Amino acid sequence: MTVVDELVAVLGYKIEGGDKLKEFQTGLDQAEQGASKATAAISGTAKALGVGLSGAAAVAFGKKALTQFADFELVMTRIGIAAGASAEEVAGASNDVQRLAQRFAMPIDPATAGLDTLTASGMSLKDAMSFLPSVLATAQASGASTIDIANTIQKASTTLGITAGDAQKAFDIMVAGGKAGQFELKDMAQYLPTLSSQFSMLGYSGNEGLRRLIVLMQLMREKTGSSSEAATQLSNVMQKIYSNETQNAFGKMGVDLEARMKEAIAGGEDTISAFTRITRETINGDLTQLPKLF
């Protein structure tokens, strides 16, 4: 796929009248509502079926249970040390992890693996524990690994500024986005960390930025043979928006792209929409002129 093809794939929804974007966003809205309901239902079922700590201890009593508990304590201690937490904080977190594992009907190992991933990225134990319920709920609802889900939200938190309070909404958007097109949740877990970093540099943030990025992922995936190729092409396009090469190409056609972009963004237009509009205006709707710019 050439650079021109990449730009047509990503920006074509604007040039062609917006039908594709509307289609994806409608599907995303519907899937997002379903994802929220599914997450809530699973959470409620786990609460109804879960047993108390004392009941679980009675059932699991014996040498194997003691060994597993010792392993769990060892893992939690290691997580606490890595996160710089006190013994009291680790003890409290250990109790909370056990309760969360029961709440979401999940084995303790993937629950601690999710927490370990969050703290290994640099989160404090307190912050990691605030994200963990959403991580476990989404992993249970989607079938994805807690490690992938934890890594995804950690990167989204860092790059797009998504807080723990917005984490479940972010996960619902990702689950919904995966259902709305061919770029699935497992693909997002792999490629979203890098793409969200680039996207944030274009001025996007929060769950609305995440939503917008997922729409672009799905649009690109329609035009490519795999999610890997789609992620690479989308990354390539985002890098080119503010590149010197692109600026010079627009200049040769009499357009000061940097000044036009600044004016558009100052007026409230987002980066992708502004770049698309300016590109369309520059070539006057003639896609055969795109090679002159890219």
Side-chain angles (χ1 to χ4, degrees):
M1 178 179 282
T2 66
V3 174
V4 172
D5 291 332
E6 296 166 17
L7 288 158
V8 170
V10 175
L11 308 177
Y13 63 85
K14 283 285 186 182
I15 296 173
E16 295 167 7
D19 291 339
K20 276 295 181 184
L21 180 62
K22 292 178 182 177
E23 177 185 333
F24 268 116
Q25 289 187 329
T26 299
L28 194 58
D29 285 334
Q30 295 172 345
E32 187 177 326
Q33 292 172 9
S36 296
K37 291 179 181 178
T39 299
I42 286 177
S43 176
T45 301
K47 286 182 179 178
L49 296 177
V51 295
L53 287 175
S54 59
V59 173
F61 182 78
K63 182 177 179 180
K64 182 177 180 180
L66 290 174
T67 300
Q68 290 175 333
F69 181 74
D71 290 341
F72 168 68
E73 289 288 280
L74 183 62
V75 170
M76 287 301 300
T77 298
R78 180 175 55 77
I79 290 174
I81 292 173
S86 67
E88 291 76 13
E89 289 174 324
V90 173
S94 296
N95 290 332
D96 289 341
V97 169
Q98 292 178 73
R99 281 193 289 268
L100 287 170
Q102 290 184 0
R103 175 183 170 187
F104 295 110
M106 178 178 290
I108 199 70
D109 287 348
T112 53
L115 180 63
D116 191 16
T117 301
L118 292 171
T119 56
S121 69
M123 276 191 186
S124 68
L125 184 59
K126 180 180 179 181
D127 287 344
M129 286 302 301
S130 67
F131 277 99
L132 189 60
S134 296
V135 170
L136 301 188
T138 304
Q140 183 65 283
S142 66
S145 76
T146 56
I147 293 175
D148 285 344
I149 294 296
N151 185 55
T152 301
I153 194 58
Q154 187 277 324
K155 294 298 184 183
S157 172
T158 300
T159 58
L160 297 175
I162 294 174
T163 65
D166 293 330
Q168 190 55 61
K169 178 66 174 178
F171 282 133
D172 289 342
I173 291 172
M174 285 187 277
V175 171
K179 292 180 179 179
Q182 299 177 62
F183 206 102
E184 301 176 358
L185 181 63
K186 61 181 177 62
D187 302 317
M188 294 179 202
Q190 182 174 356
Y191 300 111
L192 192 144
T194 298
L195 293 176
S196 66
S197 179
Q198 291 180 303
F199 209 50
S200 69
M201 294 178 68
L202 297 179
Y204 294 91
S205 63
N207 279 334
E208 187 54 41
L210 176 64
R211 180 187 178 91
R212 178 78 166 172
L213 176 57
I214 289 174
V215 169
L216 292 175
M217 288 176 178
Q218 297 294 10
L219 288 169
M220 182 61 83
R221 179 63 182 86
E222 274 202 336
K223 304 290 185 179
T224 55
S226 67
S227 293
S228 174
E229 185 180 355
T232 298
Q233 304 296 3
L234 180 55
S235 174
N236 193 19
V237 169
M238 289 193 287
Q239 290 176 31
K240 292 183 184 301
I241 290 179
Y242 284 117
S243 72
N244 290 332
E245 181 183 4
T246 302
Q247 299 281 342
N248 292 335
F250 272 83
K252 290 178 180 179
M253 295 187 72
V255 176
D256 187 336
L257 180 60
E258 182 178 4
R260 292 282 302 276
M261 288 291 290
K262 286 182 178 179
E263 180 183 3
I265 293 171
E269 197 169 0
D270 73 90
T271 304
I272 296 294
S273 294
F275 183 67
T276 302
R277 176 181 58 78
I278 294 168
T279 299
R280 185 177 65 247
E281 292 172 355
T282 301
I283 64 175
N284 196 27
D286 183 1
L287 296 182
T288 62
Q289 297 298 307
L290 274 176
K292 294 182 179 180
L293 297 176
F294 311 103

